[in-house]
Amino acid sequence: MQHLTATSLTVADDLRRAEHSINVAMRDTAQFLMTTLDATSAHGLSAAMTHGTVKATVGALGSLVESQSQMAMRAHVAIERTGRQLGLTETSWGELLPKPSGSADAPVPVMA
């Protein structure tokens, strides 16, 4: 059981790290969008000049949000369910560390 516990902690840590990386990428992408819009305004550039950049950045931000949703609502739940089926306890899963909440305003996952 010790090996299973160690493996589950590794999986849980990697999952949390992936979720954190996506959150940081969303924050940085949103900041990039704001900086681009501020620069356009400050220098009096036409919106047409930055349209492509803004469109691509908004698309990237949307993809990151979807990725976070998939991690939080699908991967996280599936990994926890598997851990419980294997008999892992909250301690062996690393339950004391923060995880995403299943808030009511969170998007409902679409099963593929």
Side-chain angles (χ1 to χ4, degrees):
M1 183 65 173
Q2 287 294 34
H3 297 307
L4 182 58
T5 299
T7 300
S8 70
L9 285 171
T10 300
V11 169
D13 288 344
D14 286 349
L15 180 60
R16 288 183 187 98
R17 194 171 333 154
E19 291 170 334
H20 177 72
S21 295
I22 292 170
N23 287 336
V24 169
M26 284 190 301
R27 182 202 63 208
D28 292 347
T29 303
Q31 182 59 52
F32 171 73
L33 178 60
M34 294 305 299
T35 302
T36 301
L37 294 173
D38 286 347
T40 300
S41 176
H43 296 286
L45 302 174
S46 90
M49 290 183 68
T50 58
H51 180 266
T53 301
V54 170
K55 186 176 179 181
T57 305
V58 169
L61 192 54
S63 294
L64 287 166
V65 169
E66 179 61 24
S67 295
Q68 177 59 22
S69 174
Q70 294 296 321
M71 290 296 288
M73 301 308 288
R74 286 178 133 184
H76 210 115
V77 172
I79 289 171
E80 274 190 324
R81 186 178 332 125
T82 300
R84 280 192 299 272
Q85 290 171 350
L86 292 171
L88 297 173
T89 65
E90 290 181 355
T91 302
S92 61
W93 170 252
E95 193 68 27
L96 299 176
L97 297 173
K99 297 183 308 183
S101 65
S103 64
D105 57 349
V108 176
V110 176
M111 302 312 254

